[in-house]
Every structure is written in structure tokens, then in C-alpha cells.
Amino acid sequence: NNIPAARLDAGEWIINRRNSEKYNRELAQINAGTFPKLPGYETGGRHGAVKHADEIIEFAKGLQGQPYIFGGIKWGDCSAAMSAIARFAIGLEPFGGRFTTASERDALQQLGFTLGRGSRGDLRMGWYNGGPGGGHTSGTLPNEVNVEMGGAGGNGQYGGIAAGAWDPQFTDHAFLRVPTNWVSNLTGM
């Protein structure tokens, strides 16, 4: 009867012939569990499964008071802290990888962030690259609380004197729309 049939479990993918041929090697590795390009998904997860703002905010509170450790992973320095928050926001292991201010633009885009300032209710990050220390980055959470590692406070800061994503020191910005209960009426410049 020329009607294709397949048995699938819930959540499985169907790939069209064109892309099956194009990505045959990668699909074979994914099915074998040997695909090397997605280490952040070792224990599962779906890219784009963005967490609710409340979960991101609760996670980011863990930054408060953490020691600054240049090049560190678990909160570590400014880049490690913003990496952890960004990775957590999209459902990855927060301390399973990190970016630097030099790689932040590409890394955030790969995580699903959009370049630009975003608006209230978004997860926002600002950074500059170069200069003393190599650069700096910090963020603003969907509840308008700023988060920063290092900076004026010298350690991990949730609120208080933390510089936010729109701080004038930053030349670059990116944001992630997250599920939230807040309504935005403020947009970036």
C-alpha cells in the first residue's frame, strides 16, 4: 500500500531522508552513544528546554559570597559564574563547562542567547573583552537583580553592589527569553 510505517517511543525523532543522508555519520554516533560533540548532554536534557525564571533566580542565589578563583570552574571567576548561570538556564550541568570573555559571544549564541540588551524578564549578560585581567562579565536576572563575580565586591554577589548586564563598562550584550510571570515594559537601548 506504499504507506510508510514505523514504531516509535514517545520523544523519539524522525529524520527526513535528505538530512538522514547528510548527517548519517553523526546520527550513527548518536544512536551508538559515542557522539563526541555534546558532552554537556551526557546525562540527558534537551537544548532549548529553558528553565523558568524562578528556578534560575534560586540557582543564582548560590553565587552570593562564593570566593573569586581566577580560571576556576565552580563559580570561579566572572566568566565561570556567568557560564554556570547560562548553562543552568538551558538545562545543562552548570559547572560542566565554561566560557571566557573572549569566547562569550559565540558560547552564548550556541546556548540559545540572542545578541542585544534584551528586556525586563529576560536573563541578560554584559561583557567586554581585553584590558587588565582580560575582560569582565556580569548579568541581570529576570527579577532585575544583578549578579557578578569579582568586580567592586571582589567575590560572588547576588544583588547589592553587583554590576548588571547594562553597566556602561560593557561593550557586548546577550539575553535569553525565559518563562516568567513578569510582564516586560522596558526594552534595551
Side-chain angles (χ1 to χ4, degrees):
N1 62 7
N2 285 339
I3 298 174
R7 249 179 213 212
L8 302 170
D9 289 328
E12 288 188 326
W13 284 89
I14 298 173
I15 308 295
N16 64 36
R17 180 178 307 187
R18 179 176 33 92
N19 285 320
S20 291
E21 291 171 9
K22 183 177 180 180
Y23 296 106
N24 182 55
R25 192 177 108 215
E26 290 86 351
L27 291 168
Q29 289 177 327
I30 288 169
N31 283 329
T34 59
F35 190 68
K37 297 179 183 176
L38 302 174
Y41 294 101
E42 295 171 342
T43 59
R46 178 185 289 173
H47 179 70
V50 178
K51 295 196 180 277
H52 191 275
D54 293 341
E55 294 175 278
I56 298 167
I57 291 161
E58 198 57 38
F59 173 76
K61 288 178 181 178
L63 175 62
Q64 180 62 38
Q66 294 294 326
Y68 180 93
I69 302 170
F70 184 76
I73 296 291
K74 187 170 183 187
W75 298 118
D77 58 20
C78 63
S79 301
M82 294 308 106
S83 298
I85 293 169
R87 290 174 59 83
F88 179 84
I90 66 158
L92 292 177
E93 164 55 40
F95 306 112
R98 60 164 292 159
F99 50 73
T100 65
T101 54
S103 65
E104 191 162 352
R105 172 186 297 269
D106 291 339
L108 288 175
Q109 287 182 293
Q110 289 172 8
L111 295 175
F113 281 67
T114 301
L115 296 179
R117 291 178 177 255
S119 60
R120 181 172 286 139
D122 296 335
L123 174 57
R124 293 166 274 160
M125 300 205 173
W127 70 96
Y128 69 87
N129 185 39
H136 189 56
T137 183
S138 68
T140 302
L141 301 172
N143 61 351
E144 297 302 302
V145 172
N146 296 329
V147 287
E148 183 179 30
M149 174 58 87
N155 60 1
Q157 298 133 57
Y158 174 90
I161 62 170
W166 291 357
D167 193 271
Q169 68 182 309
F170 297 128
T171 57
D172 297 278
H173 304 88
F175 66 95
L176 180 70
R177 298 244 187 264
V178 299
T180 182
N181 299 327
W182 297 289
V183 177
S184 174
N185 61 3
L186 175 68
T187 58
M189 308 291 166

